[in-house]
Amino acid sequence: MTTDHQDTDTAILDTDVLVVGAGPAGLMLATELRLGGAEVVVVDQRPGPTTESRASTLHARTMEILDSRGLLDELGTPPCEPRGHFGGVPLDLTLPSSHPGQWKVAQTRTEELLQRRAAELGADLRRRHQLLSLTAEDGVEAEAIGPYGPVRIRARYLVGCDGEDSTVRRLVRAPFPGRDAARELLRADVCGVEVADRRFQRLEHGLAIAATREGVTRVMVHEFGRPAAERGGAEPDFAEVTDVWKRVTGEDISQGTPLWVNAFGDANRQLAHYRHGRVLFAGDAAHRQMPSGGQALNLGVQDAFNLGWKLAAVVRGSAGEDLLDTYHSERHTVGRQVLANIRAQVELLLGGPEIEPARALLTELVALDGVRQHLAGMISGLGIRYDVEGPEIHSAAHPLLGRRLPDAWLEPAEGGARRRTTELLRTGRGLLLSLDGDGAPALRATAAPWSDRVAFVADRPVAGGPLSAGQTLLVRPDGYVAWAGSGAAGLARALTRWFGTAAADD
């Protein structure tokens, strides 16, 4: 990145990628871009990480992602709850994973963690900067206003990670089809009240939720039949929350001291395209949904994890722009599926007495393990399977193809201590993992021209684990298996598809 000034005192920055928004998605993207060797500038209107008690759940796949980049040690051991819900119906979320269940981490802590890592890797984070305009043709030119005056930023690509009311989306005029909110939940964090904990308690007049941690009680309430208010961007006041809470529960919490109050509705929208030439979108800028089941933050972080290595490869010149099209095809599909399950959950949560038969049926169905696993896989992100081969993945394909690499213990072929597959992903490079432990000369020779982008490892899987000896897996930097086989057939094609032209052909 370079900086200069014009006579007008407008600062000018040149960078590879401009990221707008320093929430979890924007910061995760910045870390991945820097890990992949791209220069990145991040601008955000806020003075620092959020201080509001927003998203507080990290699901299993997000925890695996943080682990694969060596970020979990800083979190310590946050509380873990194996039980989640689907539309308020209790659901056991435990699936095979290094971090099953849902982990309670405040959004401010997640942002602090990712901001520190982005800064360590050399991302240029500029707070108190508001995006004013952008043009995107052969490159991107954006104008922002910062605390010391106007700034012009020239970049090869721009990624909008600036939330559900995205300025980037508005400036690009990106189609954002879907529906506006018809119903809403009111939410407040309150000190000085004593109410019983409630987990999706359905009463005659509405839904009530309450949980107290460290002296702060979070209450959420919906009154059946009450439409979402037209708020014009303003948050509700505490009096509105107390009035609705009293009508639904009969309890008076007005003597409490509110720390934070907001409302979130059941709006459900998704960008028609996650890529608009040199402008891309991730996180809530790409999709707007009710945060049912704690999926919103996790969906955004996983968007960024999918995009970061791809955009860095394109910027470096090791891959063509068609790699960016796989970001849209993969994450738009996942986003559509998540928004669909959230729509179903909204009906189960906020519907009145008429929804009780459906709730009763779902309660019976989740007792079937196949149903439970399917729903838990959607909510946790562990059930994702990308189309990595072409138009479709056939049922006869390798069971790991398109899925995340399982966390497993390996015996290094050259001796030494056992290591986890997760540790092999820490560098952010691709991985060719030969599980016969003999060095597989043909595989090594095939992959050699990509050795600057793909590490070759020949280990033996520990018996009893999720991996089998004799197979070879090509793993993308985001941890998903892009090719699997017992020989080298098809490996060069997969390497070219996901890692660009072989160095020997340059």
Side-chain angles (χ1 to χ4, degrees), residues 175-238:
F176 197 43
R179 66 182 190 186
D180 293 327
R183 294 168 290 190
E184 66 182 359
L185 268 171
L186 301 177
R187 176 170 58 177
D189 283 358
V190 191
C191 288
V193 297
E194 292 185 7
V195 297
D197 281 3
R198 292 176 166 91
R199 186 176 175 86
F200 305 108
Q201 184 179 30
R202 291 175 62 82
L203 300 166
E204 180 181 359
H205 299 296
L207 171 73
I209 303 164
T212 300
R213 290 190 180 91
E214 299 179 354
V216 177
T217 301
R218 171 168 289 188
V219 297
M220 291 188 280
V221 62
H222 170 72
E223 186 175 13
F224 293 149
R226 187 173 189 263
E230 291 290 340
R231 302 189 182 277
E235 300 292 6
D237 56 34
F238 187 52

Side-chain angles (χ1 to χ4, degrees), residues 153-431:
I153 306 168
R154 298 183 297 219
R156 296 176 61 186
Y157 294 89
L158 181 149
V159 185
C161 299
D162 51 341
E164 59 184 26
D165 297 318
S166 170
T167 297
V168 176
R169 195 178 61 227
R170 174 176 56 81
L171 292 173
V172 174
R173 298 182 180 179
F176 197 43
R179 66 182 190 186
D180 293 327
R183 294 168 290 190
E184 66 182 359
L185 268 171
L186 301 177
R187 176 170 58 177
D189 283 358
V190 191
C191 288
V193 297
E194 292 185 7
V195 297
D197 281 3
R198 292 176 166 91
R199 186 176 175 86
F200 305 108
Q201 184 179 30
R202 291 175 62 82
L203 300 166
E204 180 181 359
H205 299 296
L207 171 73
I209 303 164
T212 300
R213 290 190 180 91
E214 299 179 354
V216 177
T217 301
R218 171 168 289 188
V219 297
M220 291 188 280
V221 62
H222 170 72
E223 186 175 13
F224 293 149
R226 187 173 189 263
E230 291 290 340
R231 302 189 182 277
E235 300 292 6
D237 56 34
F238 187 52
E240 182 180 354
V241 177
T242 62
D243 288 348
V244 176
W245 183 265
K246 189 169 186 177
R247 290 199 297 271
V248 170
T249 69
E251 298 172 348
D252 184 2
I253 60 171
S254 61
Q255 77 280 8
T257 301
L259 303 178
W260 177 59
V261 180
N262 83 332
F264 52 94
D266 63 345
N268 199 278
R269 292 184 175 277
Q270 184 182 26
L271 281 175
H273 300 283
Y274 282 14
R275 181 186 179 196
H276 290 252
R278 292 184 175 270
V279 178
L280 300 103
F281 294 87
D284 287 347
H287 35 74
R288 183 172 187 175
Q289 62 285 309
M290 193 171 185
S292 182
Q295 296 179 86
L297 181 149
N298 295 270
L299 184 62
V301 167
Q302 292 169 38
D303 285 344
F305 201 61
N306 182 288
L307 175 59
W309 68 274
K310 295 175 180 177
L311 186 50
V314 172
V315 165
R316 291 195 320 265
S318 60
E321 287 202 3
D322 57 341
L323 184 61
L324 296 179
D325 294 331
T326 70
Y327 167 65
H328 168 80
S329 62
E330 291 179 350
R331 294 306 300 175
H332 192 275
T333 299
V334 171
R336 184 175 66 249
Q337 293 167 347
V338 170
L339 265 63
N341 91 53
I342 287 177
R343 285 199 302 271
Q345 291 195 63
V346 167
E347 296 302 320
L348 293 165
L349 274 173
L350 305 187
E354 74 282 355
I355 205 67
E356 290 303 327
R359 291 178 58 84
L361 177 60
L362 181 62
T363 301
E364 293 182 19
L365 290 175
V366 295
L368 303 174
D369 203 45
V371 175
R372 182 197 70 81
Q373 289 183 24
H374 178 72
L375 295 178
M378 285 196 304
I379 291 173
S380 66
L382 298 177
I384 293 170
R385 186 174 192 176
Y386 291 135
D387 169 12
V388 295
E389 282 203 315
E392 63 180 8
I393 297 176
H394 300 288
S395 59
H398 191 284
L400 287 179
L401 194 62
R403 297 193 183 278
R404 77 196 203 287
L405 178 68
D407 182 73
W409 286 99
L410 303 172
E411 297 275 8
E414 66 276 9
R418 289 180 174 180
R419 54 187 175 182
R420 294 166 55 214
T421 50
T422 303
E423 298 172 39
L424 302 177
L425 299 174
R426 296 273 161 87
T427 64
R429 300 170 66 201
L431 170 68

Side-chain angles (χ1 to χ4, degrees), residues 436-456:
D436 62 5
D438 65 359
L443 293 167
R444 186 186 294 272
T446 300
W450 289 270
S451 60
D452 59 326
R453 287 155 268 171
V454 179
F456 181 83

